[in-house]
Amino acid sequence: MLRHDARGGRRGRQETDPGDAGAEIAVDALGLQQTVQAAVLSLDKGGRLAQVGLTSQAEKGMASLPIDLIVALELRIIGSAGNPHWSYDRLLKLVSQGHLRPDRLVTRTVRLSDTQSVMEEFATYGTTGYVVITDFTS
Amino acid sequence: MNLCDDGAQLNLLPGSGGWAEYLRVPNADLDCIVLPDNVNELSAAALGCRYMTAWHAVHDQAAIRGAETSVVHGCGGVGLAAVEIAACLGGDVVAVDVDDAKLDLARALGARATLNVAA
């Protein structure tokens, strides 16, 4: 889903493109050079990127971005870290009312002794959804 | 502070330690949040770190307004939560990843479209 090339030129519609317009909001939840760039390039004019992912060993904190495009389309890149105390109220309200269901992301529950193997899967992005320890006896 | 057998520290923030059975919370009124009665422990565990990070990004920082198109790049723990939260807040969500299983889950959580960008 790349709406633009790096110089601001409009790309033709790709067959896999799920929509005609770029996005108003992008979230990069990985922090790889590839994903942060793709996130910026997926935005429409005035779009905003919430950058959540921290970079990997490969980027070491630095990633290159299409600056001309950011200028021309007046894009905004907004960092986001954790969740401040004041923002839990509405989040918990939506969870308690059943509008948000974080438990739906739990794909597996494990024992405490399974922790090591679960952690090892993280390194290869092998985990889908959340793994929660529910048995602390073994 | 809990240390590994080789003396290494398990932590995210220096000095915070990890894997403790008990935790001292000196500023409990500020640092603890009361769970509503009907939010169970499984949901609370799922909320920690990943889910609430996605909440802050979508709700507070990107400040999504209803019906905005939102693209989520990377459907790990934070990305999948961002999909559900953006969809819940009225967003029209496209999820991008390289793994079909994660994209299937993204669709179940409310993504209108998914895109597998594996080479």
Side-chain angles (χ1 to χ4, degrees), chain A residues 107-127:
Chain A
T107 50
R108 199 149 56 102
T109 56
V110 298
R111 293 173 301 178
L112 185 60
S113 55
D114 295 326
T115 307
Q116 182 68 27
S117 65
V118 171
M119 297 291 281
E120 280 162 11
E121 285 173 14
F122 290 166
T124 54
Y125 302 102
T127 313

Side-chain angles (χ1 to χ4, degrees), chain A residues 36-51:
Chain A
V36 65
Q37 211 169 80
V40 170
L41 292 173
S42 63
L43 289 170
D44 214 337
K45 189 169 174 64
R48 47 219 199 268
L49 164 64
Q51 182 63 38

Side-chain angles (χ1 to χ4, degrees), chain A residues 23-98:
Chain A
E24 274 113 10
I25 292 171
V27 176
D28 174 21
L30 280 178
L32 308 175
Q33 169 69 62
Q34 206 181 342
T35 55
V36 65
Q37 211 169 80
V40 170
L41 292 173
S42 63
L43 289 170
D44 214 337
K45 189 169 174 64
R48 47 219 199 268
L49 164 64
Q51 182 63 38
V52 184
L54 295 165
T55 63
S56 74
Q57 281 301 313
E59 292 83 15
K60 294 187 169 52
M62 300 290 281
S64 76
L65 288 173
I67 297 301
D68 297 358
L69 185 78
I70 292 170
V71 172
L73 296 184
E74 300 193 328
L75 305 179
R76 278 181 284 169
I77 300 175
I78 312 153
S80 188
N83 193 41
H85 193 279
W86 53 260
S87 192
Y88 274 91
D89 195 39
R90 180 139 191 247
L91 169 60
L92 285 173
K93 211 164 272 175
L94 288 172
V95 174
S96 103
Q97 290 166 351

Side-chain angles (χ1 to χ4, degrees), chain A residues 1-2 13-19, chain B residues 94 113-117:
Chain A
M1 178 154 183
L2 299 181
R13 182 173 177 177
Q14 299 166 19
E15 259 177 57
T16 49
D17 195 336
Chain B
V94 178
T114 57
L115 192 56
N116 189 327
V117 292

Side-chain angles (χ1 to χ4, degrees), chain B residues 7 20 26 54 57 59 71 100:
Chain B
H59 178 262
V71 190
D100 280 335

